[in-house]
Amino acid sequence: MVVQGLDAHRRVLVRVLGLLVGVAVIGVGSYGFVVNLQTDADLTFLRFAKDLFTGFAAFAAFGLTFRSVRTAGWTLSASLLVYLAWYYALTPVVSLPSALLPLVIMIIAAYVAGRRALWIFMAATEVVVVLSAAVELAGAEAPLDIDPAFIVAFLRQVFQIALVAVLVDRTVVVLSNALDFSDQQRRKAEQLFVRLGEQAEITISLQRQVSRTAQSEAAASLATAVSHDLGNLLNVIVAYVEKAWGHVRHTEGVLADSLNGIEAAADRAVHLNRRITSLARATPRQATPIDLVTVLPGIVPLLAMTLGQAIELRVDIGPGDHRVAFDEPCLALILLNLATNARDAIDGRGVVDLACRADDGQSVLIFTDNGKGIPESQRHTAFEPFWTTKGPERGTGLGLFSARQMAESLGGQLVLAPSPDTGARFELRLRRADEAYDSSSP
């Protein structure tokens, strides 16, 4: 767990001081032990034991910071207090230096363990000073004849320690408040940064939705205009076919068959054009029961003509019930869009497979080709309006968009599936007719 803020500062302080105190005290104490061993063995051993205790306690404080910084602060302050008590016990009051070591002890206690620890160690330090002075007086030859310098030095130590405690207390309070405020501001900044990130994501999502809506509206307007002009042209074609029938004497033959084919294709085109207009105008469409086994053979010739002679069309209708709830003209238009894209992607000789399979209560039309395929980086935009891999002279980018719109409006689903080989693989998932009407019935 990463520790931040005030606790991080406290841990750093105790670890740094713990290492410094431990290394310095044990190092200096070991050297003093070797030097003074020949002069005063008893006192030298005691001093070395004190140094070892203080040093190892400082190292223990360093280790305790990984579990409890407050306990580590208490341990380090107590070890320094023992060192201070030894020093005061052996030094005359008149020779005592300024309260530097008590200052360090009280800073550690206040900053790491709290204000309560500060005043406890201040009182303990005062007790050490008083006991040191009492021991010195008790060993004097004339205890009642007190040297004024002794009194001044004693009062100076007591006053310095009390003054240091007050200053440390106020300083630590201000510093702690400042660090707490800094932590609060940091947390607020982090929360604000997270909120800004969320707002940015929402804004980007809304911008994408607006862009898709604008593209859809543009596509609908364009489809309406094209459909209107195409309808006029189809009416002219139908009129010419009717006029041609008036000059055909026999109902059989190449000319009659051609006129029949033109008339049937024109009628289908008129119907498909009406569906395009209804799609652009968002006119509700109603799915009807159709049998793919019966419908697909009528659409296959249109697909073969669209693909051309250079591309082989292979059709495989698997076993099972393929009665679905859909619209036959919309199905033809979707497959024609896919066939046109496959023809442009192959751009030469190739193969297109159209398979029909039963899958989990659905009938799935699988349309695959061995063309160039769609790059992986562009698969997520394949169904957006005006997106195309063709040049501007060959594609409008509305084919897949309108195909998916038609499929979804009738309860189907058109997806770009992963292709095991090169080329593209589209799956048109259609609801079974019986399940579609069972789910819609009250």
Side-chain angles (χ1 to χ4, degrees):
M1 180 180 66
V2 179
V3 181
Q4 298 178 342
L6 187 58
D7 283 344
H9 292 284
R10 289 169 173 168
R11 277 176 166 78
V12 170
L13 176 65
V14 175
R15 288 172 183 174
V16 171
L17 290 179
L19 288 176
L20 290 177
V21 170
V23 172
V25 171
I26 292 180
V28 175
S30 300
Y31 176 77
F33 174 76
V34 174
V35 172
N36 298 323
L37 185 61
Q38 304 299 327
T39 59
D40 190 356
D42 294 335
L43 193 58
T44 299
F45 277 107
L46 289 175
R47 286 175 178 172
F48 187 55
K50 174 264 301 181
D51 292 336
L52 290 179
F53 171 80
T54 304
F56 284 119
F59 287 139
F62 175 85
L64 287 173
T65 57
F66 295 95
R67 299 188 60 181
S68 173
V69 66
R70 190 174 295 272
T71 303
W74 278 94
T75 303
L76 182 58
S77 299
S79 66
L80 292 176
L81 182 62
V82 171
Y83 190 89
L84 177 68
W86 175 274
Y87 179 75
Y88 276 19
L90 298 180
T91 305
V93 174
V94 178
S95 303
L96 289 177
S98 61
L100 177 60
L101 187 55
L103 172 63
V104 174
I105 296 174
M106 286 184 283
I107 288 177
I108 297 173
Y111 187 56
V112 178
R115 297 175 63 194
R116 179 182 177 184
L118 163 66
W119 295 109
I120 290 175
F121 278 99
M122 188 277 292
T125 305
E126 297 282 24
V127 170
V128 168
V129 174
V130 172
L131 290 177
S132 175
V135 170
E136 185 175 346
L137 286 175
E141 296 180 357
L144 298 179
D145 187 12
I146 303 176
D147 186 1
F150 176 86
I151 298 176
V152 171
F154 172 75
L155 294 177
R156 184 180 68 240
Q157 284 292 324
V158 173
F159 176 77
Q160 284 181 349
I161 293 172
L163 179 61
V164 165
V166 173
L167 293 177
V168 169
D169 179 74
R170 293 296 89 199
T171 302
V172 168
V173 168
V174 174
L175 181 61
S176 299
N177 291 338
L179 289 174
D180 287 338
F181 179 76
S182 176
D183 286 344
Q184 293 175 4
Q185 295 300 111
R186 176 184 53 79
R187 287 192 291 268
K188 289 181 180 179
E190 291 176 350
Q191 294 174 358
L192 180 61
F193 181 77
V194 172
R195 291 178 183 176
L196 287 176
E198 295 174 350
Q199 292 296 327
E201 292 179 357
I202 294 175
T203 302
I204 294 174
S205 177
L206 291 176
Q207 289 176 346
R208 290 175 179 172
Q209 292 178 8
V210 170
S211 176
R212 291 194 185 103
T213 302
Q215 291 176 340
S216 300
E217 292 177 353
S221 300
L222 179 61
T224 302
V226 172
S227 177
H228 180 268
D229 294 339
L230 181 60
N232 292 333
L233 293 175
L234 289 174
N235 290 333
V236 173
I237 294 174
V238 172
Y240 274 113
V241 171
E242 292 178 352
K243 183 177 180 180
W245 273 117
H247 298 277
V248 177
R249 299 179 179 179
H250 303 285
T251 57
E252 297 181 358
V254 176
L255 181 59
D257 292 341
S258 299
L259 288 177
N260 282 325
I262 294 173
E263 188 174 28
D267 289 340
R268 188 180 296 275
V270 169
H271 194 76
L272 292 177
N273 190 50
R274 291 172 183 170
R275 304 306 291 179
I276 294 175
T277 304
S278 64
L279 173 66
R281 295 175 179 174
T283 304
R285 292 170 297 279
Q286 184 67 37
T288 58
I290 60 173
D291 190 349
L292 296 179
V293 177
T294 305
V295 170
L296 286 179
I299 301 177
V300 167
L302 295 177
L303 300 179
M305 292 178 61
T306 301
L307 293 172
Q309 297 181 354
I311 301 176
E312 179 186 0
L313 175 62
R314 300 184 300 197
V315 181
D316 180 16
I317 302 177
D321 185 6
H322 295 297
R323 291 175 298 171
V324 297
F326 209 67
D327 181 77
E328 181 179 351
C330 285
L331 176 62
L333 184 57
I334 292 173
L335 294 178
L336 284 172
N337 274 321
L338 298 179
T340 302
N341 290 337
R343 179 197 63 197
D344 296 338
I346 293 173
D347 196 17
R349 304 192 66 84
V351 177
V352 170
D353 291 300
L354 175 61
C356 182
R357 297 288 184 266
D359 180 29
D360 193 20
Q362 293 180 323
S363 286
V364 183
L365 290 174
I366 305 172
F367 193 97
T368 58
D369 64 67
N370 63 345
K372 300 176 182 178
I374 299 176
E376 186 67 27
S377 60
Q378 301 179 12
R379 293 176 66 89
H380 66 286
T381 60
F383 293 100
E384 292 186 359
F386 305 113
W387 177 89
T388 179
T389 57
K390 311 171 189 177
E393 71 282 354
R394 298 186 63 184
T396 62
L398 296 175
L400 290 178
F401 166 74
S402 60
R404 171 177 267 189
Q405 292 287 95
M406 280 188 287
E408 292 179 351
S409 66
L410 293 169
Q413 186 181 14
L414 179 63
V415 297
L416 176 59
S419 179
D421 301 319
T422 59
R425 175 189 174 98
F426 290 90
E427 294 183 0
L428 178 60
R429 297 183 172 273
L430 305 176
R431 297 177 298 168
R432 295 280 177 84
D434 50 355
E435 294 185 2
Y437 288 102
D438 288 343
S439 61
S440 62
S441 60

